[in-house]
Amino acid sequence: QVQLVESGGGLVQAGDSLRLSCAASGSTFISYAMGWFRQAPGKEREFVAAITWSGGSTFYAGSVKGRFTISRDNAKNTVYLQMNSLKPEDTAVYYCADKRSSGSYYYTEAYNYWGQGTQVTVSS
């Protein structure tokens, strides 16, 4: 079992930055990759970013590429999402997820464990 706890969300203004953290505990050593997803009210959960266990490969949604950066510290079992130049359309609950299969990084079905989410609200 794996437990994921997100933190770092909040209310910011457009153009501001936030850094989200996701602390993992439990059987983390066999994780294939970690990802961040987000879900806005009335919308489906969507892919934001992912990073392989080694950190050697990263993947981003087109809407956040160049503004968001995913990273990880395996010694701390923590994954980060640095979000810069935030826009009102980035408002959502952000979830981190643990990927244990070789499926696509971009789909929720490939991820086996999920955190409870952290709210990010960007005002205009």
Side-chain angles (χ1 to χ4, degrees), residues 30-72:
I30 55 175
S31 175
Y32 190 84
M34 297 292 292
W36 286 97
F37 288 74
R38 67 187 182 186
Q39 188 166 18
K43 295 187 177 182
E44 292 188 354
R45 193 169 297 189
E46 65 175 3
F47 172 79
V48 175
I51 186 168
T52 55
W53 184 89
S54 67
S57 295
T58 57
F59 308 85
Y60 295 95
S63 59
V64 307
K65 201 167 187 178
R67 300 189 297 124
F68 291 10
T69 303
I70 188 170
S71 61
R72 66 189 302 161

Side-chain angles (χ1 to χ4, degrees), residues 1-104:
Q1 279 288 352
V2 174
Q3 295 78 43
L4 304 173
V5 179
E6 303 97 334
S7 61
L11 172 62
V12 297
Q13 293 187 332
D16 285 351
S17 298
L18 275 177
R19 189 177 80 156
L20 305 183
S21 299
C22 173
S25 60
S27 303
T28 58
F29 66 95
I30 55 175
S31 175
Y32 190 84
M34 297 292 292
W36 286 97
F37 288 74
R38 67 187 182 186
Q39 188 166 18
K43 295 187 177 182
E44 292 188 354
R45 193 169 297 189
E46 65 175 3
F47 172 79
V48 175
I51 186 168
T52 55
W53 184 89
S54 67
S57 295
T58 57
F59 308 85
Y60 295 95
S63 59
V64 307
K65 201 167 187 178
R67 300 189 297 124
F68 291 10
T69 303
I70 188 170
S71 61
R72 66 189 302 161
D73 184 339
N74 287 341
K76 297 182 178 179
N77 287 333
T78 301
V79 177
Y80 304 98
L81 185 68
Q82 177 67 43
M83 305 186 295
N84 299 330
S85 302
L86 282 161
K87 303 176 181 180
E89 50 264 44
D90 294 318
T91 295
V93 177
Y94 283 71
Y95 299 89
C96 72
D98 186 313
K99 185 176 184 292
R100 297 294 170 105
S101 73
S102 59
S104 171

Side-chain angles (χ1 to χ4, degrees), residues 95-118:
Y95 299 89
C96 72
D98 186 313
K99 185 176 184 292
R100 297 294 170 105
S101 73
S102 59
S104 171
Y105 292 93
Y106 300 94
Y107 297 109
T108 58
E109 292 78 7
Y111 293 80
N112 303 82
Y113 299 99
W114 294 83
Q116 83 290 347
T118 185

